[in-house]
């Protein structure tokens, strides 16, 4: 195993029409753990994008007409290959994202393959069936679901292969083709996935990869040959993408950012609540869209909560990313590291929140680990208020804000819910309490598309996930996730003849 900084991948081509596709322009992929080049990546331009969309268009008639059972068999073969190569793929993700191998080998590829398996099984068991309605004795309605065409998938950098699979699985299962663009910061998984699909038997042109920055995503979004854009990223970028897609009346799914509330109730089981808050802030170095970064803690529980949290913060172990003991990595890129550091600086110097743990300065790393990468200290601010910048904007790093609330008034729950919902975003929310009755009442009032009770972060294939308010449109995963990749056709069949069914009624009505 090469040590960080000495590792270099071959130049990564694009993948179009079932084959590698090289371009003259390249950009550099950087290893976030040590700030050194990891690979040169071919960059797509307008002509390449046209070629990729055309490849999808050529493949569409045959792929969309392939019986679901046959499509399912191919996708299940890809699932088997993904699982067989789990550790190799996880290693690539670790190099590219800076996430510890303990995470990428147990979460990233696994949860992506699960979703592909879920949709492969769903389409083989009637998931694309329509409905029949007996309208009258001699007339009925039936609906069918048709794929959309060539769709664009545009991914973020935090769960690269998982996002690629969460988009391509329902897209391809429904009979569509895809042109996928990963984030320029984490491009390596895309070629591997495309090769796996081909090896599994996916026809050429059904899944294509183009690489590049936002301009490549923008060209894809406005391309007239694209029927739908499935986007994961920041709210601001999502707004631009949705506007551009609207101009072409394209379907969209938007999986965007959040500033999610984690509600600890006075009767919460302390150990579980602290574990939940940690999971909701420090897993993947805080680079998880559903993070519960606003941790509401009752004043009556605050001292005990902070004490236990501080003890547990020492369980966060940065280090060699391949070491089974390491559970904390660097941030994904220099620019993101600067952004997160600015928020920590703002929290200390402008918001003047109380710094409970971490803060600015170099994170101490075990001996022998290159500290040139984008490492920041896991950080906890307490005594925060809702108006502070660190408590209102998405930081997307390992920064927890604790917001104490008074729990000695009869209506404290109403105030708590109002504060929890006091954000333009609505991706996730969670409640920790021993009172299950209260948990359900609270969940019903939370303005968020993904909610948890006494846990945080699990997002299995069966669970449809998507944001409310500015956090997105549509859902991924679950049975509902498939419906975002098909269009409905309704057919009314009349056996009694036109006159009998319509004009006769009008005539009768006149009498
Ligand atoms: P960005 O919005 O910066 O980028 C997302 C993708 O869009 C990237 O591939 C990017 O390319 C591309 N892009 C940038 N500009 C445009 C444009 N004008 N048109 C089309 N595509 C464009 O998000 P990040 O990559 O920084 O990801 C982090 C964000 O993603 C966080 O806000 C997080 O909450 C959110 N997220 C949401 C999830 C959800 O399910 N709700 C899941 C995971 C993350 P490039 O990177 O190459 O510039």
């Amino acid at each position: 195993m090469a040590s960080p900084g000495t590792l270099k991948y071959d130049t990564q081509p694009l993948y179009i029409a079932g084959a590698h596709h090289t371009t003259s322009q390249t950009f550099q992929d950087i290893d976030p753990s040590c700030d050194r080049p990891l690979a040169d990546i071919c960059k797509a331009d307008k002509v390449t994008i046209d070629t990729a969309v055309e490849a999808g268009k050529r493949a569409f008639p045959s792929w969309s007409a392939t019986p679901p059972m046959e499509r399912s068999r191919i996708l299940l073969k890809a699932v088997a290959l993904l699982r067989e190569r789990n550790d190799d793929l996880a290693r690539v993700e670790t190099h590219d994202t800076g996430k510890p191998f303990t995470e990428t080998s147990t979460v990233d590829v696994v949860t992506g393959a699960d979703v592909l398996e879920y949709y492969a099984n769903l389409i083989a068991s009637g998931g694309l069936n329509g409905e029949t309605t007996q309208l009258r004795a001699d007339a009925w309605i039936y609906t069918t679901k048709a794929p959309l065409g060539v769709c664009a998938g545009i991914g973020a950098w935090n769960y690269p292969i998982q996002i690629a699979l969460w988009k391509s699985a329902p897209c391809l299962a429904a009979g569509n083709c895809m042109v996928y663009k990963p984030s320029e910061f984490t491009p390596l998984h895309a070629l591997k996935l495309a090769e796996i699909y081909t090896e599994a038997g996916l026809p050429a042109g059904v899944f294509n990869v183009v690489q590049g920055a936002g301009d490549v995503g923008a060209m894809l979004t406005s391309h007239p040959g694209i029927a739908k854009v499935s986007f994961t990223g920041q709210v601001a970028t999502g707004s631009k993408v949705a506007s551009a897609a609207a101009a072409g009346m394209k379907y969209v799914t938007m999986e965007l950012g959040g500033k999610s509330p984690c509600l600890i109730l006075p009767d919460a089981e302390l150990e579980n609540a602290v574990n939940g808050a940690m999971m909701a802030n420090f897993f993947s170095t805080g680079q998880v869209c559903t993070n519960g970064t606003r941790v509401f803690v009752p004043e009556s529980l605050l001292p005990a909560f902070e004490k236990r949290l501080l003890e547990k913060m020492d369980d966060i172990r940065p280090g060699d990313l391949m070491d089974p003991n390491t559970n904390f990595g660097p941030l994904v890129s220099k620019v993101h590291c600067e952004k997160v550091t600015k928020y920590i600086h703002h929290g200390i110097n402008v918001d003047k929140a109380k710094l409970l743990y971490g803060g600015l300065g170099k994170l101490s790393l075990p001996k022998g680990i290159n500290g040139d990468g984008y490492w920041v200290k896991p950080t906890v601010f307490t005594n925060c208020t809702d108006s502070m910048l660190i408590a209102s904007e998405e930081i997307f790093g390992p920064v927890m804000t604790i917001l104490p609330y008074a729990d000695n008034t009869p209506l404290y729950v109403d105030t708590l819910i109002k504060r929890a919902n006091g954000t333009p975003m609505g991706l996730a929310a969670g409640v920790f309490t021993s009172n299950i009755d209260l948990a359900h009442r609270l969940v019903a009032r939370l303005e968020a598309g993904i909610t948890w009770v006494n846990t945080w972060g699990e997002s299995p294939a069966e669970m449809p996930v998507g944001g409310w308010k500015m956090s997105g449109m549509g859902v991924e995963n679950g049975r509902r996730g498939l419906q975002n990749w098909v269009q409905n056709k309704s057919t009314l069949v009349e056996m009694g003849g036109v006159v009998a069914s319509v004009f006769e009624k009008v005539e009768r009505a006149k009498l």
Side-chain angles (χ1 to χ4, degrees):
M1 168 61 220
S3 57
T6 60
L7 184 78
K8 191 102 202 257
Y9 286 78
D10 292 338
T11 298
Q12 302 282 298
L14 313 179
Y15 200 83
I16 298 177
H20 290 181
H21 184 103
T22 50
T23 56
S24 53
Q25 278 196 322
T26 58
F27 65 95
Q28 226 169 36
D29 182 27
I30 304 290
D31 182 339
S33 72
C34 59
D35 191 31
R36 304 246 177 90
L38 197 53
D40 293 319
I41 315 289
C42 284
K43 184 180 183 311
D45 58 12
K46 188 176 172 320
V47 175
T48 343
I49 290 170
D50 285 345
T51 312
V53 175
E54 278 310 313
K57 276 182 160 177
R58 277 198 308 278
F60 180 70
S62 159
W63 179 245
S64 56
T66 303
M69 190 69 107
E70 255 176 66
R71 290 205 297 263
S72 171
R73 272 188 213 119
I74 293 171
L75 299 180
L76 286 173
K77 260 188 215 157
V79 172
L81 292 170
L82 284 163
R83 291 195 176 136
E84 208 175 284
R85 295 176 199 167
N86 181 71
D87 285 6
D88 292 341
L89 293 165
R91 214 167 282 126
V92 171
E93 290 297 73
T94 287
H95 297 150
D96 220 9
T97 60
K99 296 201 286 186
F101 185 69
T102 49
E103 268 191 39
T104 55
S105 61
T106 55
V107 177
D108 295 48
V109 191
V110 173
T111 52
D114 283 355
V115 167
L116 188 57
E117 184 180 37
Y118 177 84
Y119 284 119
N121 287 329
L122 189 60
I123 58 163
S125 55
L128 288 168
N129 287 353
E131 292 167 354
T132 309
T133 305
Q134 190 76 48
L135 190 62
R136 307 181 276 274
D138 53 3
W140 78 95
I141 301 164
Y142 67 90
T143 65
T144 47
K145 290 168 187 170
L148 306 171
V150 184
C151 304
I154 301 178
W157 42 255
N158 60 336
Y159 278 88
I161 197 164
Q162 185 210 63
I163 290 173
L165 281 157
W166 284 19
K167 295 192 182 310
S168 61
C171 172
L172 307 189
N176 301 289
C177 298
M178 175 165 268
V179 180
Y180 169 65
K181 186 202 95 67
S183 165
E184 70 190 296
F185 297 108
T186 53
L188 294 180
H189 65 289
L191 181 62
K192 300 258 173 222
L193 177 59
E195 287 172 346
I196 284 177
Y197 273 139
T198 298
E199 197 178 329
L202 198 73
V206 176
F207 183 76
N208 308 279
V209 174
V210 294
Q211 300 272 12
D215 58 325
V216 173
M219 281 189 267
L220 207 49
T221 304
S222 57
H223 196 290
I226 292 291
K228 164 176 175 150
V229 184
S230 175
F231 174 85
T232 299
Q234 300 181 41
V235 173
T237 323
S239 293
K240 280 191 230 162
V241 172
S243 307
M249 214 54 84
K250 300 178 201 301
Y251 292 86
V252 291
T253 304
M254 291 281 143
E255 297 293 341
L256 309 177
K259 190 72 186 174
S260 302
C262 171
L263 276 50
I264 316 285
L265 274 289
D267 65 351
E269 207 267 294
L270 182 68
E271 193 69 8
N272 196 45
V274 172
N275 285 341
M278 289 195 64
M279 174 61 97
N281 281 274
F282 302 114
F283 194 73
S284 276
T285 313
Q287 302 166 115
V288 184
C289 53
T290 51
N291 266 359
T293 47
R294 293 185 294 139
V295 183
F296 288 92
V297 181
E299 282 169 1
S300 62
L301 201 64
L302 191 62
F305 183 88
E306 288 183 356
K307 181 172 177 289
R308 192 66 189 118
L309 179 68
L310 281 177
E311 286 162 6
K312 284 187 166 270
M313 289 303 287
D314 292 335
D315 294 342
I316 296 180
R317 296 179 297 274
D320 176 350
L321 297 177
M322 294 307 294
D323 185 333
N325 199 39
T326 300
N327 61 13
F328 189 83
L331 292 166
V332 75
S333 67
K334 191 171 189 174
V335 57
H336 189 55
C337 186
E338 285 165 2
K339 177 179 158 184
V340 173
T341 307
K342 255 191 207 162
Y343 275 110
I344 298 175
H345 184 274
H346 197 281
I348 296 169
N349 298 301
V350 184
D351 287 334
K352 301 223 182 286
K354 181 177 164 193
L355 183 66
L356 192 68
Y357 192 94
L360 297 166
K362 260 199 168 324
L363 173 68
S364 130
L365 292 167
K367 234 176 148 199
I369 300 297
N370 184 328
D372 293 344
Y374 317 129
W375 302 87
V376 292
K377 291 182 186 171
T379 294
V380 181
F381 287 108
T382 190
N383 289 356
C384 297
T385 56
D386 298 344
S387 60
M388 288 179 180
L389 194 75
I390 52 167
S392 48
E393 290 189 2
E394 185 185 46
I395 299 174
F396 219 54
V399 184
M400 181 194 291
T401 56
I402 297 177
L403 297 130
Y405 65 90
D407 54 323
N408 56 358
T409 61
L411 291 178
Y412 80 88
V413 165
D414 291 341
T415 316
L416 179 60
I417 286 287
K418 202 168 166 213
R419 289 179 68 190
N421 288 338
T423 162
M425 289 174 274
L427 187 57
V431 181
F432 285 84
T433 174
S434 305
N435 182 342
I436 285 300
D437 192 26
L438 179 63
H440 292 303
R441 285 179 205 282
L442 289 180
V443 162
R445 293 172 70 186
L446 284 167
E447 294 168 359
I450 308 162
T451 52
W452 288 287
V453 175
N454 290 331
T455 185
W456 199 281
E458 193 182 1
S459 193
E462 298 88 337
M463 183 175 174
V465 285
W468 285 15
K469 303 201 277 192
M470 292 300 281
S471 290
M473 287 165 77
V475 296
E476 286 186 332
N477 301 345
R479 297 181 80 87
R480 282 217 39 215
L482 193 61
Q483 303 312 318
N484 288 337
W485 294 93
V486 287
Q487 49 199 340
N488 181 74
K489 182 178 284 178
S490 294
T491 307
L492 195 156
V493 183
E494 172 62 67
M495 293 188 295
V498 172
V499 173
S501 68
V502 181
F503 292 110
E504 200 173 274
K505 263 195 226 154
V506 175
E507 289 307 312
R508 271 201 212 121
K510 282 187 194 157
L511 292 175

